Amino acid sequence: MRRDIPPLAEVRRITEKKRDAWWTVLLVDPVATPLVRLTAKYTRITPNQITWGAFLLGLVSAAFFAFGDWRWLIAGAFVYHLSFILDCMDGKVARLTGQGSVFGAWLDFVFDRIRVAVCGVALMAGQYDRTGETIYIWLAAAVVFLDTLRYINGLEIFKIRHTMRKQIKARVRAARRAENSAELAFMEDLLRNNPEADIEQDIRQAATATVTPVGTAEVAESAEVAEFAEREHAPAGAAATATATEAAEVEAGDEAGAEAQNKAPARVIDLHQEFRHRFPVYLRARSFFLRHRIRTHLVSGIEFQMGVFILGPLFDSVIKATIVSGALLLVFELAIIYKLLLSTRDFTRTIDSFEREEVATAA
C-alpha cells in the first residue's frame, strides 16, 4: 500500500481537468476518480495496463454489439461505458503517480481509434444482420469517418494555433532584444489556468460588447489584466500546450521569473477577441458551464461515441442516435473552424500592430 496517495479531494484536484466534456464531468469522474485513488494506493497497476484493459473491454462490447439482439445491445452499451471509464482512469493514474509516458499517450490514442472503428462496424453489422437494411452499412462508414475527421481536424487546428503563437512570440522576443519590453502571455492561457477569472472576464466583456467596437487584437495592458498575469506567473513564452517545444519555453520562462518581476506588466495577446465581441451571449453561457467544469464544446468525440454506442443501443434506436450524434458533431466542428477563422484575423491584426510599432520605433 502506498502511503503518499493524498485524500480524495486532493486526488480530484490533481487528476481532474479544469474543463472537460460534460459526459465525463457528470457520468465518469464521480466514479473514475475514487477508483483512481484506490488503484494507485492499493495496487501496482500501471497506466498502460489500464489502457490495455479499456481496449479489451471495448472489444468485448463490440462482440456484444455484433449479436444484434436488444439484450446484447444493452450489455454492449454497459460494457462500452465501463471501457470508457477505464480509458479516463489511465491518464488520471498517470498524473497522480507520475507514471505518464509519451508511449502511453500514443497507445491510448491508437487504442481509442481502433475501439471506435471496431465497435462502429460491429454495431452496424449486427443491426444489418438483424434487419437487412443497407443504411447500416453507410452508418458504419459514417461513424469511422466522423471519428477520424474529428481528430484530424483537432490536430490541424492545434498546429495552426501553435504556429500563430510561435510567430507572435518571435516578434515579441525580437522587440525585447531591441528594448526592455514587457513580458508576454496569451489570454487563452490565463483564462484556462483560472476558470474563476475566466468567468469574471467573460461577464465584463459580455456587458460591454454592445457598446465596444470590434478593434484589433492589440496587446491588452490594463491594470486588471496585468494583475491577473502576475498572479498566474505567466512570463514570456509560458504557453500551456502539450508539445516539447512549448514545455522548454515554459521552463525558460520560469528561470527568467525573477527578472520579469522588475519589468513592465505582462502583455496579453487575445487571439479570440473578434469571436468574443461577435457572440456576447456565448460568453455568458460559457461562464455558466465553467462554473461546473464543463467545456462549451458540448458535442465532441466523446459525446458522439456515447450517443452511438450507449444511447442508441440502450433505446434500440441506433439509426436515429447515430444520425443525430453525427449531425451535432459536425455542427460543433464547423463552429470550431469558424472560431479559428476569426482567430486568424485577430492574428493578422496583431502582426500588423507589431509592424506599426516597429515603424514608429524606427522613426
Side-chain angles (χ1 to χ4, degrees), residues 96-108:
L96 182 61
T97 62
Q99 294 178 304
S101 66
V102 175
F103 177 77
W106 174 87
L107 189 70
D108 182 56

Side-chain angles (χ1 to χ4, degrees), residues 148-158 333-334 336-337:
T148 304
L149 174 66
R150 160 75 183 114
Y151 281 92
I152 291 177
N153 185 45
L155 178 61
E156 289 303 312
I157 288 178
F158 171 82
E333 289 302 303
L334 289 174
I336 290 179
I337 294 172

Side-chain angles (χ1 to χ4, degrees), residues 37 63 85 93 153 196 209 251 296 338:
R37 182 176 183 274
I85 290 176
V93 171
N153 185 45
E196 290 77 13
E251 183 178 356
T296 52
Y338 178 67

Side-chain angles (χ1 to χ4, degrees), residues 82-309:
L82 290 180
S83 171
F84 184 70
I85 290 176
L86 285 183
D87 187 40
C88 293
M89 286 178 59
D90 55 6
K92 295 179 186 297
V93 171
R95 288 189 289 272
L96 182 61
T97 62
Q99 294 178 304
S101 66
V102 175
F103 177 77
W106 174 87
L107 189 70
D108 182 56
F109 176 82
V110 171
F111 279 0
D112 283 350
R113 306 285 66 75
I114 295 175
R115 179 182 59 186
V116 171
V118 171
C119 286
V121 171
L123 176 62
M124 302 309 168
Q127 296 308 294
Y128 174 76
D129 183 64
R130 188 179 75 166
T131 65
E133 297 182 23
T134 56
I135 188 175
Y136 288 107
I137 298 176
W138 293 104
L139 289 179
V143 168
V144 176
F145 169 76
L146 289 174
D147 182 71
T148 304
L149 174 66
R150 160 75 183 114
Y151 281 92
I152 291 177
N153 185 45
L155 178 61
E156 289 303 312
I157 288 178
F158 171 82
K159 289 167 61 177
I160 292 173
R161 288 176 174 171
H162 177 65
T163 300
M164 291 191 299
R165 291 159 64 110
K166 289 200 67 171
Q167 291 187 31
I168 291 175
K169 291 174 185 177
R171 288 296 188 106
V172 171
R173 290 194 182 99
R176 192 168 57 184
R177 283 194 294 268
E179 59 177 308
N180 187 23
S181 63
E183 297 295 333
L184 172 70
F186 286 93
M187 176 69 74
E188 56 188 302
D189 291 334
L190 301 180
L191 301 182
R192 182 184 300 114
N193 293 334
N194 192 325
E196 290 77 13
D198 193 15
I199 294 170
E200 296 167 1
Q201 174 80 8
D202 287 348
I203 291 177
R204 287 196 299 270
Q205 290 192 7
T208 60
T210 56
V211 297
T212 303
V214 179
T216 63
E218 296 177 349
V219 177
E221 295 182 303
S222 66
E224 292 178 348
V225 174
E227 180 183 356
F228 179 36
E230 291 174 0
R231 184 167 67 250
E232 288 300 310
H233 305 292
T241 64
T243 64
T245 302
E246 292 288 324
E249 291 171 350
V250 170
E251 183 178 356
D254 291 338
E255 292 175 355
E259 297 180 2
Q261 293 178 355
N262 298 323
K263 297 182 180 179
R267 306 175 70 186
V268 181
I269 302 295
D270 187 2
L271 292 180
H272 298 295
Q273 180 174 332
E274 185 172 349
F275 185 83
R276 296 174 191 275
H277 279 289
R278 287 196 179 195
F279 302 99
V281 176
Y282 162 83
L283 298 179
R284 289 191 176 276
R286 189 180 67 168
S287 297
F288 170 80
F289 289 123
L290 287 175
R291 292 188 183 97
H292 302 280
R293 208 166 54 82
I294 297 174
R295 64 189 182 198
T296 52
H297 191 68
L298 296 179
V299 183
S300 63
I302 292 175
E303 288 79 12
F304 171 69
Q305 293 178 43
M306 302 307 122
V308 174
F309 299 125

